[in-house]
Amino acid sequence: MATEDERYRQSSQFRLWSFSPATLLELREKTNSLAKQQITPRIDPVPEFLTSDEEAQLVKFFTIELIRAAQFCELPTEIRSTAAMFLRRFYITNSVMTYPPTELLKTSLFFGCKAEGFYIRLAKLAEKFPNTTSDQILAGEYLLCQGIRFAFDVRHPFRALEGAILQLRIRLPEEETRINNAHARARETLKFSALVTDVYFHFTPSQIMLASLLMVDPGLVDILCPRPAEGGDSDGDKAGGMRTDVYDKIMTTIESCRAMLEDEPPERMTEYWGTPEIVKSMKPLRKKLQRCRDPDRADLVALQRARREQAVAKPKKPNTTNDGAVFGDAESRDPKRRKVDNADDMFGPALGQ
C-alpha cells in the first residue's frame, strides 16, 4: 500500500505546482519578460512596464481582495483557499499585464466553487459584485483552466491540522484550553498567511500545518515530532524514535516554512492590508498596470467572442460519406454487395441449398 508521501508525490500539486524558490523566481521573471515582448508592438507609445517584483506585489494584493470577496459572499474556507490558489497558480505563467486580475479574481471564485463541489448560482454570485455580469465571470473560465494546467486538485493543510489537534487532545487531555487556542490561531494562519505567501509552491500540506503550529505554540510541535533521545545513535533512539539527521532535516524545513508564513501574519489582513494608507499606496501601481495592459486581452468577453467567431469561421474538413474511403478496400467488397443485391431472397437461399 502506498504511503501518504508516495500518494502526495503522485498528485498534480506536487508534479506541476511545486518549485524551488529559485525556479519560481525564474518562472515569474520569464513570464514578465514574455509579456513585455508581446505587448510592446500593440501599444504606442511604449509605456513603463511592471517589473516581476511589482507583479508579485499586485498578485498578493488581488489575492487578498479575493479572500475579502469570498468572505463577503460567505463562501466556506476550503473554497476561498482553492480559489486563491487558482489565482496564484494562474499568474505564475501569465502576467497581470496580459489578463486583468480584477476579472480573473471573480472567475477563480466561481471555479473554486465548482472544484470543491459547492453549488452557487452564477447569477447570484454576479450580483455580489458591482457592474459584473455572468458573462464576465464565465469569459475567463477556460483561460483559467489552461493557466492552471487543468490541475483542479488543491491539497490544503486544514485536514492535517484537524488530525494533529485530535492527536494532541489524546496525548494532552488536561490541556484542552491550550490546544483549542493553538488550533484557532493556527487555523487563522492557514486561512491567510499560507494563501498570500508562496508556501503552497515550496512545502507539503503537513509541513505547512506544522509550521503554523510552530508559530503559535512550539511546545505542541515537540509533542507531535519528539526530539531524539540524547545519547541515542544516529540510526534512532533506543525507543525506536526518529533519527537525529531526519529530525534535523524536518525541523529545518518547517522553520523555513514558518519564516515565510511570518512575513504575512493573520493580523496584517486588517492592520496592514485593510488600512486606507495601503489602499492608497497601491494606487500608483494599479495605475501603472492600467497603462501597460495588453489592449487585445483587456476585455475577456470580447476576446472570448472573437475566438468563438474564429472557430465558427474556420473551414471544416470535407465530410466523407463513402464507406470505402472510411474503412478502406472498397473494391474487394463490391462483388459481395452485387451478389446480395442480385439475390431473389433478401435473406439469401434456404439452408442446405
Side-chain angles (χ1 to χ4, degrees), residues 267-323:
E267 296 78 19
R268 280 171 64 91
M269 176 74 172
T270 54
E271 296 177 2
Y272 180 78
W273 291 103
T275 59
E277 292 79 9
I278 293 302
V279 175
K280 186 177 180 180
S281 68
M282 292 298 295
K283 283 186 177 180
L285 209 53
R286 297 185 68 176
K287 287 182 178 179
K288 186 176 180 181
L289 171 61
Q290 291 292 330
R291 290 192 294 268
C292 61
R293 286 199 311 174
D294 188 337
D296 294 346
R297 293 180 172 87
D299 187 345
L300 296 183
V301 176
L303 178 64
Q304 184 190 47
R305 187 185 304 115
R307 288 181 175 177
R308 284 178 177 174
E309 292 173 354
Q310 184 180 7
V312 171
K314 186 177 180 180
K316 296 182 179 180
K317 295 181 179 179
N319 187 19
T320 305
T321 57
N322 187 300
D323 288 350

Side-chain angles (χ1 to χ4, degrees), residues 85-97:
M85 291 316 302
F86 282 167
L87 187 72
R88 291 185 66 82
R89 286 179 179 182
F90 180 84
Y91 282 115
I92 287 179
T93 54
N94 292 276
S95 171
V96 295
M97 296 183 289

Side-chain angles (χ1 to χ4, degrees), residues 163-218:
I165 294 301
L166 286 175
Q167 188 71 16
L168 288 169
R169 284 172 178 161
I170 293 172
R171 296 188 182 185
L172 304 172
E174 70 285 354
E175 298 193 38
E176 185 73 16
T177 302
R178 175 191 177 189
I179 294 173
N180 288 342
N181 290 337
H183 182 202
R185 290 159 58 198
R187 189 169 175 82
E188 289 301 314
T189 300
L190 298 180
K191 287 163 61 176
F192 177 75
S193 307
L195 301 180
V196 299
T197 59
D198 290 332
V199 294
Y200 270 76
F201 300 119
H202 302 320
F203 304 99
T204 66
S206 57
Q207 291 168 347
I208 299 171
M209 177 274 295
L210 287 171
S212 68
L213 274 179
L214 194 64
M215 283 179 63
V216 300
D217 194 332

Side-chain angles (χ1 to χ4, degrees), residues 3-262:
T3 64
E4 186 70 24
D5 184 63
E6 290 171 341
R7 285 197 295 270
Y8 179 73
R9 289 178 180 275
Q10 294 170 2
S11 68
S12 59
Q13 181 160 315
F14 178 81
R15 291 183 293 105
L16 303 178
W17 295 106
S18 292
F19 312 99
S20 67
T23 302
L24 186 60
L25 179 62
E26 183 181 351
L27 275 173
R28 285 174 171 156
E29 290 177 346
K30 183 178 179 181
T31 298
N32 179 263
S33 177
L34 288 174
K36 292 176 183 177
Q37 294 175 18
Q38 293 173 353
I39 298 172
T40 297
R42 300 171 185 165
I43 300 181
D44 187 26
V46 178
E48 180 185 0
F49 288 105
L50 295 170
T51 65
S52 59
D53 290 339
E54 289 173 334
E55 284 203 65
Q57 189 176 355
L58 279 170
V59 170
K60 180 181 288 189
F61 173 78
F62 284 109
T63 302
I64 295 169
E65 291 296 296
L66 181 148
I67 295 172
R68 285 203 183 97
Q71 291 174 341
F72 176 74
C73 296
E74 299 180 344
L75 297 176
T77 299
E78 290 275 345
I79 292 170
R80 73 180 73 159
S81 301
T82 297
M85 291 316 302
F86 282 167
L87 187 72
R88 291 185 66 82
R89 286 179 179 182
F90 180 84
Y91 282 115
I92 287 179
T93 54
N94 292 276
S95 171
V96 295
M97 296 183 289
T98 305
Y99 297 109
T102 51
E103 301 301 321
L104 266 300
L105 179 157
K106 304 165 191 174
T107 304
S108 297
L109 275 177
F110 181 62
F111 200 76
C113 293
K114 284 185 176 182
E116 294 294 338
F118 182 84
Y119 174 74
I120 183 171
R121 283 194 309 113
L122 177 60
K124 181 180 178 181
L125 182 64
E127 290 173 358
K128 299 284 187 180
F129 300 97
N131 304 318
T132 300
T133 64
S134 299
D135 289 342
Q136 288 176 308
I137 295 177
L138 287 179
E141 194 170 51
Y142 188 66
L143 282 173
L144 179 68
C145 292
Q146 286 180 311
I148 63 177
R149 301 175 70 179
F150 298 92
F152 306 138
D153 179 30
V154 181
R155 306 291 180 93
H156 298 294
F158 299 109
R159 290 184 181 179
L161 178 62
E162 298 306 316
I165 294 301
L166 286 175
Q167 188 71 16
L168 288 169
R169 284 172 178 161
I170 293 172
R171 296 188 182 185
L172 304 172
E174 70 285 354
E175 298 193 38
E176 185 73 16
T177 302
R178 175 191 177 189
I179 294 173
N180 288 342
N181 290 337
H183 182 202
R185 290 159 58 198
R187 189 169 175 82
E188 289 301 314
T189 300
L190 298 180
K191 287 163 61 176
F192 177 75
S193 307
L195 301 180
V196 299
T197 59
D198 290 332
V199 294
Y200 270 76
F201 300 119
H202 302 320
F203 304 99
T204 66
S206 57
Q207 291 168 347
I208 299 171
M209 177 274 295
L210 287 171
S212 68
L213 274 179
L214 194 64
M215 283 179 63
V216 300
D217 194 332
L220 295 180
V221 177
D222 290 335
I223 301 296
L224 295 171
C225 298
R227 300 174 183 272
E230 294 184 6
D233 57 28
S234 60
D235 294 331
D237 59 30
K238 296 179 181 179
M242 193 182 302
R243 285 168 31 188
T244 303
D245 58 337
V246 173
Y247 175 83
D248 291 341
K249 184 177 181 180
I250 290 174
M251 294 310 298
T252 300
T253 302
I254 295 173
E255 286 285 357
S256 300
C257 185
R258 182 182 75 164
M260 197 171 291
L261 291 174
E262 287 178 341

